[in-house]
Amino acid sequence: MVLNGFLPDFEKQCMELNYFKEQFAARMEPASAIVICRRGEEELIDLKQIPAPGIVLIPCEYYQPEAILKILTRQMNKEDLYLFGHSYGANEIAVRAAARLNGSSAAGVHKIEKIEAGMMIERMVYSNYMMATFLLKKSPYCIAIANGLGEHKVEITYPRNVRIAEKAEIPDFLISRDLHHEVRKATLAEAQRLIVAGRGAGNKEQVQELEQLSQKIHGKLGVSRPVAMNAWAPMEALVGVSGTMTKPKLCITVGVSGAAAFYLGIEKSEFIVAINKDKNAPIIKKADVAIIEDFSNVIHALSEYIEKG
Amino acid sequence: MNILNCFKVVSDLDLLGEGDWIADEQNNVDVSFVRTGWNCFDESALEMLLKLSDLSEGFNVMYNLSALTIGNEKCDTYLKTLYALGYQKAVRIDCENDLRFCSDFVAGLIAQYVGDQGNIDVIITGKQSADGENGQTPFLLAEQLGWPHIGQVTMIEPVDETCLKVRTVTDEGEVTQTIKIPCILSVGNAPNSYLRVPTLKDRLRLGKQPIEVRKVENQGAAGQGLLKLRAIDYRRAGIIIEGDSPEEKAAVLFRQYLKERL
Amino acid sequence: MALSREQIVSGLVRILGSEQVITDEQVLKESSLDRYRKYEQVCEVYTQPIPAAVVYVKSTGQVADVMKFANDNRINIVPRTGHSAIEGGLETTLVNSVVVDGSMMNQVLKIDTYNMQVTCQCGVPLQELDDRLREMGYTTGHSPQSKPLAQMGGLVATRSIGQFSTLYGGIEDMIVGLEAVFPNGEVCRIKNIPRRAAGPDIRHVIVGNEGALCYITEVTVKLFKYQPENNVFLGYILDNMKTGFEALRAVMVAGYKPSIARLYDPSDAGMHFAHFVPEGKCVLIFMAEGPAGITKATAEGIESLIAEFDECDAVDPMLISKWFDGLNWGPEEIAQEKIEILETKNIGITTEVSGCWDCIYEIYNTVCERILEEVPDMTLMGGHSSHSYINGTNMYFVYYYNIVDCPPEEEINKYHDLINQIICEQVLKYGGSIVHHHGLGKARAKYVKEEYGSSYYILDTMKKAYDPNQIMNMGTLIPVTK
């Protein structure tokens, strides 16, 4: 498996890959892991989190795909299966590494199964309305797993042995790089209670009011794509396949229509409440309970009940 | 600087009803009866280039924008719209193949076009299409051409004739990089990027320019080995809370369902 | 002496209680306009006087009390139910108006399947009513595009018409009895009967009054059997509108009553049917509805009639029926539209008119020509005909423009009203009507005298008789004179 040591939540990544490995690749040879990490901080990688005995570290100044690929492909074998995470970087290097080694790749994979003819994989297609099964025929198989599948704590006691590969050099086509705005540790993904604002929320102020409500219930605010695209909330609040995948105990959607690509972002919620003016909105059938009303009066009343306790 | 924007025209999949998600024996889903539109990430890229062009005046760079799509003549109206918006060249690679799941083939066609042209400096595209969701084309294109690639672009700004300033979203946060050409840029979720609308006068003046149509020599697209398609059922109980007023419904919601969960 | 805002509010609270009198600033702002000022609405800019209050009435008695209070104190009342109006009918044009919202009067009082009538209070949403009836095997037959939002009171007040009118008629054909409250508090009930000739049909003082004469509190409309299993769709592609109008006329004159008969011009067709219609073509659509024998005969009859027009090429009816399913305009569509307008500064509006067969093509053609010539920043100009009669048809103009260098407050002058002016001028020139079914509202009230000609005397006298204190939705139908 290939891990990204730059991500704020390294442990989560390991648990996700561990889960996938347990589900679908348990019977295969014990894995080795390649970790891309920050140059100078190799010591900081928490090796205990890695569900593999053999570890190779590829140090790099920052996560630069071309630099990493050059070193990564030298560590990879033709016959193998490589599991990557679901981050932007992982998707990119999975596909490109496979291309360089004349293998096959797939991103957003939900399931794999090795058969005689090759590797069968399942992933979402048609804006997440359907699940497709493909047969990949050429190894190495570079599989970037889907977001939100599951986590399995790493409880391996065997010793790890670590090797540091040659460092990845930043190529010269990049003249400058500034990191502005660091991503905070995953909060939306961990939220136990979520209020999600959709385009029916109407404007920035109402979205902010919903954020206040989310704070009252000690939860977080998420938004659907139209809200983020319109800059009524920061892009980080985006929930869905191209944003954050959540699994709260309680999710209240407000003015959300419920298209599949968004819905997957809340699908694992224990309990979904939908508030929408339109009784034909797709979210209604995908919610546990629904209120068909303009949200403002409902939310004001609800807010009061919550305050009174 | 010559910039090529590769885009796809897709059906509006959110218009399909529950019962429409059926695959036939060839694993095709009938989407012929709903309207088409720009693939959303491609639309962002198209608008991003127009914004770049708007900014170019102070920078002493001329941006020559061209657009490429692969499909049949139903795509032509989109290409004409791009002409009306100020794109200088619009090209269609005529292809009737099932292109849903063959990123390698699509990347190959683009690479071939770029190779034939010989003067393209930047290629920009959306990160994936609504139907195939492969998420591979820009990466495979980078490998085929041997050009650098930057993904998740949210804004492009001029610098000079040799490079571009690109703002992106990465796993670590928002990053601004200056990259030398040639390069490939791909676009994910970028705020404020709906495509502007051309006036009728611009359509009359500019929209009638000829579209270059190219044929594909090898019509056999190597697919990704699609075996099966099935619809996903997300349905839950969908109980609708009744009441005489919004306030009453909120009360029922709180008392019966939320109190215990908060 | 005019009452102050506070006095108006306390007067209303005495009548209705404070829970039914809303003075929340945001609600008041949103209640000062309707979708006529779409761009202002989307940008949340409010140029009309903000009303003193929005009140929710729960009974005819409460309506009467509020009207008497308003009449005694010369307070402008704006009646409202679904808030889906698009011609300014809901604008609170006078300072310190009061919006009287009937949406809480939402009871279906009686479904009478023997007499084939249903009686509702004014706040019954049409979508809910019709869904409920359909489950029982009936329908009102009324299906305007605003169906997901509109309520019965408003639908009658605006003389609305639905997508299946060619078979079922407009609301004026569907209405049976009514109840309305007049400014002096007089409550008038008109009983439910199939027809009578005991003087003029007084229902038509109420139907279409747009809140300028009275407040509608209860309506009874006809019921029809709901037989969707017999629906037949037909679609054709053709080259030009003139032929299209000829084809529509031929079908109507021959005596067929399809439930839908529509003709789309190339621009409008491009927005709806580009996935199966080549650029530059017109589209003709028919639907037959009703008992199986009739729908079959209607479809066959229309088919053979259209076959005589060489220009018309048939399309797969499935494409038409699927398209039709997605046509209505509900909260989701409005929310999405708002986002797109704010992002692209491109906005789409409609204005609909009518004319006899001999002038409708000229109206269509000259309107499009003039608008393209005289209005800046147009991105689309076209339309469709959707309601045909033996003697003519309507024309529903659809137009989009970019809002360029123009603050929201100015948009209506720079673009929307200019376009309406051109349309009205051309229609009046050719002898058509400037309003087919959206209502005169406040948007086109300025042309009321030209529209009516000498018959304006009848309208004017009614207004003076029923609303001598000028409290009913001033500015609607008859413009306010400064």
Side-chain angles (χ1 to χ4, degrees):
Chain A
M1 48 186 78
V2 181
L3 293 156
N4 181 348
F6 287 86
L7 287 185
D9 209 336
F10 186 71
E11 184 181 343
K12 181 169 201 267
Q13 207 189 143
C14 292
M15 291 202 287
E16 285 171 341
L17 281 168
N18 194 34
Y19 170 84
F20 195 88
K21 170 178 151 286
E22 299 289 302
Q23 290 286 310
F24 306 114
R27 273 175 285 130
M28 297 183 197
E29 246 183 65
S32 63
I34 302 171
V35 182
I36 299 141
C37 61
R38 197 182 300 279
R39 199 173 71 178
E41 290 176 15
E42 296 86 339
E43 311 290 304
L44 297 178
I45 298 292
D46 189 357
L47 303 175
K48 284 195 315 308
Q49 299 300 336
I50 302 172
I55 299 170
V56 178
L57 298 179
I58 300 178
C60 195
E61 200 180 311
Y62 54 85
Y63 195 102
Q64 207 292 313
E66 277 85 5
I68 292 163
L69 281 163
K70 200 161 160 207
I71 314 299
L72 176 65
T73 46
R74 289 195 207 132
Q75 316 301 321
M76 289 167 70
N77 292 318
K78 191 83 177 91
E79 298 315 308
D80 292 346
L81 163 68
Y82 290 89
L83 297 180
F84 295 72
H86 52 75
S87 60
Y88 301 130
N91 285 337
E92 178 160 7
I93 59 172
V95 174
R96 294 179 72 174
R100 289 188 187 199
L101 298 171
N102 206 22
S104 353
S105 64
V109 175
H110 281 249
K111 188 175 161 183
I112 59 172
E113 192 186 327
K114 182 87 183 68
I115 61 170
E116 185 137 350
M119 181 72 74
M120 279 207 335
I121 65 123
E122 263 188 34
R123 66 173 177 87
M124 301 265 198
V125 294
Y126 281 107
S127 290
N128 308 109
Y129 284 105
M130 300 191 98
M131 187 70 89
T133 310
F134 294 92
L135 177 64
L136 303 181
K137 294 188 190 148
K138 297 189 289 181
S139 65
Y141 305 106
C142 294
I143 306 294
I145 68 172
N147 199 346
L149 291 179
E151 296 164 19
H152 193 102
K153 204 155 165 59
V154 177
E155 274 148 11
I156 298 169
T157 49
Y158 51 57
R160 276 91 165 161
N161 65 75
V162 184
R163 173 170 69 82
I164 300 182
E166 73 184 274
K167 71 171 172 13
E169 296 289 352
I170 305 297
D172 60 9
F173 54 72
L174 282 169
I175 298 173
S176 73
R177 182 187 192 261
D178 287 299
L179 171 65
H180 307 291
H181 171 123
E182 284 206 43
V183 158
R184 288 161 287 249
K185 240 175 109 108
T187 47
L188 207 52
E190 308 302 316
Q192 289 299 290
R193 294 171 191 166
L194 210 53
I195 305 230
V196 183
R199 65 189 174 196
N203 59 38
K204 199 168 177 174
E205 289 71 37
Q206 308 216 81
V207 172
Q208 279 165 354
E209 275 182 36
L210 291 169
E211 169 145 46
Q212 282 162 22
L213 181 63
S214 75
Q215 282 163 9
K216 266 193 205 159
I217 62 169
H218 306 295
K220 293 256 176 272
L221 177 79
V223 299
S224 68
R225 193 170 188 268
V227 174
M229 292 295 285
N230 219 37
W232 290 345
M235 206 42 106
E236 278 125 41
L238 180 62
V239 168
V241 284
S242 50
T244 304
M245 302 289 270
T246 68
K247 44 185 196 316
K249 289 205 161 42
L250 172 66
C251 176
I252 303 178
T253 72
V254 179
V256 169
S257 68
F262 158 78
Y263 185 78
L264 273 163
I266 61 166
E267 198 223 342
K268 295 225 163 73
S269 308
E270 227 175 80
F271 193 78
I272 298 178
V273 178
I275 304 175
N276 194 310
K277 256 189 339 197
D278 185 355
K279 69 187 220 305
N280 292 319
I283 191 91
I284 306 298
K285 288 201 187 143
K286 303 187 210 177
D288 294 292
V289 297
I291 293 183
I292 315 291
E293 283 286 349
D294 183 295
F295 75 92
S296 39
N297 291 329
V298 177
I299 292 294
H300 283 147
L302 198 59
S303 207
E304 279 173 25
Y305 286 119
I306 290 170
E307 253 171 76
K308 285 188 224 152
Chain B
M1 192 182 292
N2 298 322
I3 309 188
L4 175 69
N5 191 315
C6 303
F7 70 93
K8 187 173 181 184
V9 172
V10 296
S11 296
D12 191 342
L13 299 176
D14 288 332
L15 288 180
L16 267 74
E18 262 172 56
D20 294 324
W21 291 109
I22 318 167
D24 63 20
E25 283 119 37
Q26 283 80 39
N27 283 322
N28 276 320
V29 176
D30 185 9
V31 294
S32 64
F33 53 90
V34 289
R35 60 166 189 235
T36 56
W38 309 96
N39 182 44
C40 61
F41 304 117
D42 297 336
E43 179 178 351
S44 294
L46 288 164
E47 175 61 23
M48 225 176 262
L49 282 188
L50 289 170
K51 287 196 161 88
L52 172 70
S53 208
D54 290 341
L55 290 171
S56 67
E57 267 177 48
F59 288 87
N60 210 18
V61 199
M62 267 289 289
Y63 291 107
N64 211 308
L65 306 183
S66 54
L68 170 74
T69 193
I70 305 173
N72 60 30
E73 68 279 341
K74 287 188 184 156
C75 301
D76 285 349
T77 146
Y78 292 88
L79 291 163
K80 286 186 192 161
T81 299
L82 292 176
Y83 269 137
L85 285 173
Y87 274 72
Q88 274 94 21
K89 187 168 174 196
V91 183
R92 175 166 66 82
I93 297 180
D94 188 48
C95 185
E96 289 281 3
N97 288 21
D98 174 6
L99 293 174
R100 291 172 299 166
F101 308 113
C102 25
S103 312
D104 214 24
F105 181 68
V106 169
L109 289 176
I110 300 173
Q112 189 179 47
Y113 174 77
V114 169
D116 289 345
Q117 292 303 111
N119 63 353
I120 302 222
D121 301 309
V122 180
I123 307 172
I124 183 168
T125 176
K127 70 169 186 175
Q128 64 185 47
S129 67
D131 48 5
E133 291 197 69
N134 302 298
Q136 296 176 316
T137 309
F139 305 140
L140 296 176
L141 187 58
E143 291 303 313
Q144 288 189 21
L145 286 172
W147 289 13
H149 164 268
I150 293 185
Q152 302 295 126
V153 173
T154 54
M155 190 153 87
I156 315 172
E157 286 172 278
V159 182
D160 60 34
E161 307 117 31
T162 65
C163 53
L164 285 173
K165 191 156 122 181
V166 173
R167 203 173 169 108
T168 64
V169 173
T170 70
D171 299 309
E172 294 169 81
E174 257 180 61
V175 162
T176 300
Q177 296 174 86
T178 308
I179 183 168
K180 280 194 205 155
I181 59 174
C183 64
I184 299 170
L185 305 176
S186 65
V187 176
N189 285 316
N192 306 119
S193 53
Y194 278 96
L195 188 61
R196 56 191 77 170
V197 184
T199 62
L200 291 167
K201 294 209 161 92
D202 284 340
R203 282 189 189 274
L204 268 170
R205 193 166 54 92
L206 302 166
K208 311 258 181 219
Q209 293 167 77
I211 292 165
E212 184 185 324
V213 180
R214 295 162 70 94
K215 294 275 174 208
V216 178
E217 277 117 36
N218 165 26
Q219 284 280 350
Q224 217 185 350
L226 175 64
L227 296 180
K228 195 166 66 175
L229 275 178
R230 60 179 171 87
I232 303 172
D233 189 3
Y234 297 110
R235 272 177 301 181
R236 293 193 179 209
I239 299 171
I240 299 184
I241 294 179
E242 304 286 349
D244 285 330
S245 68
E247 291 77 10
E248 215 182 281
K249 294 181 187 179
V252 172
L253 174 64
F254 182 73
R255 279 197 306 266
Q256 277 193 293
Y257 299 102
L258 293 188
K259 207 160 167 192
E260 45 175 355
R261 292 185 161 88
L262 284 175
Chain C
M1 251 275 285
L3 294 186
S4 69
R5 283 170 88 82
E6 293 72 30
Q7 287 171 318
I8 294 173
V9 171
S10 49
L12 292 166
V13 169
R14 271 198 296 279
I15 301 169
L16 300 172
S18 57
E19 274 189 27
Q20 284 168 239
V21 179
I22 311 297
T23 51
D24 171 83
E25 200 186 320
Q26 190 56 31
V27 172
L28 293 182
K29 282 182 180 169
E30 288 171 14
S31 301
S32 66
L33 80 182
D34 60 31
R35 276 167 70 76
Y36 174 62
R37 292 178 188 265
K38 193 195 286 195
Y39 192 57
E40 284 173 38
Q41 202 180 41
V42 152
C43 296
E44 298 175 21
V45 161
Y46 303 102
T47 58
Q48 302 303 296
I50 307 299
V54 174
V55 303
Y56 286 87
V57 285
K58 289 190 178 173
S59 69
T60 304
Q62 285 189 349
V63 176
D65 290 338
V66 170
M67 300 281 263
K68 277 186 282 199
F69 172 70
N71 201 29
D72 290 341
N73 293 290
R74 299 192 181 239
I75 301 166
N76 183 40
I77 296 286
V78 174
R80 178 178 89 183
T81 50
H83 204 161
S84 59
I86 56 177
E87 297 293 338
L90 296 176
E91 286 174 17
T92 48
T93 308
L94 298 191
V95 168
N96 294 341
S97 301
V98 172
V99 175
V100 181
D101 189 301
S103 56
M104 291 184 100
M105 292 175 63
N106 57 10
Q107 297 306 301
V108 174
L109 298 172
K110 185 173 180 189
I111 300 177
D112 181 351
T113 57
Y114 193 67
N115 289 319
M116 295 299 273
Q117 289 168 178
V118 56
T119 303
C120 320
Q121 291 184 312
C122 56
V124 168
L126 177 59
Q127 180 83 56
E128 274 181 36
L129 173 64
D130 219 55
D131 285 348
R132 188 170 152 187
L133 290 170
R134 284 184 184 192
E135 274 169 36
M136 297 165 59
Y138 299 97
T139 176
T140 56
H142 196 45
S143 185
Q145 219 170 336
S146 57
K147 193 171 168 189
L149 302 164
Q151 295 169 15
M152 296 308 289
L155 288 165
V156 173
T158 52
R159 266 180 83 83
S160 60
I161 202 167
Q163 291 152 2
F164 310 125
S165 67
T166 318
L167 174 62
Y168 296 106
I171 196 74
E172 68 275 16
D173 303 301
M174 300 164 164
I175 196 81
V176 186
L178 295 164
E179 179 189 83
V181 181
F182 284 79
N184 59 2
E186 194 78 37
V187 176
C188 299
R189 285 191 71 82
I190 302 175
K191 59 187 177 182
N192 293 333
I193 35 153
R195 185 191 194 270
R196 73 175 165 193
D201 193 341
I202 52 168
R203 297 175 305 163
H204 293 288
V205 169
I206 300 169
V207 179
N209 87 95
E210 300 188 34
L213 301 177
C214 60
Y215 194 107
I216 300 172
T217 47
E218 190 186 296
V219 307
T220 301
V221 293
K222 295 176 189 169
L223 287 181
F224 301 91
K225 276 191 103 63
Y226 183 55
Q227 310 164 83
E229 65 277 7
N230 301 322
N231 287 350
V232 183
F233 283 92
L234 296 167
Y236 299 90
I237 299 176
L238 60 154
D239 286 325
N240 64 69
M241 286 296 272
K242 202 158 193 343
T243 313
F245 283 122
E246 291 299 327
L248 278 178
R249 180 183 171 277
V251 168
M252 298 309 296
V253 165
Y256 293 105
K257 285 201 169 355
S259 58
I260 294 175
R262 287 187 173 216
L263 170 66
Y264 281 80
D265 89 331
S267 302
D268 204 357
M271 284 209 295
H272 291 269
F273 310 113
H275 51 290
F276 64 90
V277 174
E279 221 181 314
K281 298 284 188 184
C282 306
V283 176
L284 199 52
I285 292 177
F286 297 99
M287 174 168 130
E289 187 178 330
I294 300 223
T295 61
K296 186 162 179 289
T298 305
E300 279 169 15
I302 294 177
E303 261 178 313
S304 52
L305 239 169
I306 302 296
E308 289 168 30
F309 291 86
D310 293 325
E311 233 182 271
C312 298
D313 290 323
V315 299
D316 181 354
M318 181 274 285
L319 294 167
I320 308 292
S321 114
K322 289 275 193 190
W323 162 78
F324 196 72
D325 288 336
L327 201 53
N328 282 345
W329 205 247
E332 292 295 337
E333 288 75 22
I334 292 187
Q336 181 60 26
E337 184 195 39
K338 175 175 180 174
I339 287 179
E340 283 174 11
I341 293 172
L342 286 170
E343 280 285 318
T344 60
K345 298 225 177 350
N346 179 263
I347 193 165
I349 316 256
T350 60
T351 301
E352 40 61 42
V353 303
S354 70
C356 293
W357 293 118
D358 65 357
C359 67
I360 196 71
Y361 176 71
E362 283 309 311
I363 289 174
Y364 160 75
N365 204 27
T366 58
V367 162
C368 291
E369 262 175 18
R370 277 195 64 189
I371 289 178
L372 290 173
E373 201 34 65
E374 300 171 38
V375 182
D377 311 314
M378 296 297 299
T379 61
L380 190 138
M381 179 69 222
H384 60 268
S385 155
S386 42
H387 304 277
S388 286
Y389 309 88
I390 195 132
N391 53 351
T393 186
N394 81 320
M395 189 60 219
Y396 199 111
F397 288 106
V398 175
Y399 43 92
Y400 282 73
Y401 45 87
N402 286 335
I403 297 166
V404 179
D405 293 331
C406 181
E409 305 83 0
E410 286 306 303
E411 177 269 337
I412 211 131
N413 297 325
K414 187 172 177 189
Y415 301 101
H416 193 170
D417 276 356
L418 174 57
I419 292 172
N420 267 350
Q421 185 187 330
I422 293 171
I423 294 175
C424 293
E425 278 173 13
Q426 291 308 111
V427 169
L428 290 167
K429 176 175 169 184
Y430 286 99
S433 168
I434 61 172
V435 185
H436 174 260
H437 67 270
H438 281 171
L440 199 56
K442 298 181 178 77
R444 288 176 279 181
K446 53 170 96 76
Y447 308 105
V448 67
K449 287 190 182 163
E450 290 107 318
E451 170 68 22
Y452 274 72
S454 61
S455 63
Y456 178 72
Y457 168 76
I458 304 175
L459 181 69
D460 189 44
T461 308
M462 280 205 294
K463 177 69 175 174
K464 288 177 172 135
Y466 293 116
D467 187 23
N469 291 347
Q470 303 198 327
I471 66 153
M472 292 306 287
N473 207 357
M474 293 307 289
T476 285
L477 296 188
I478 300 173
V480 172
T481 42
K482 298 275 183 262

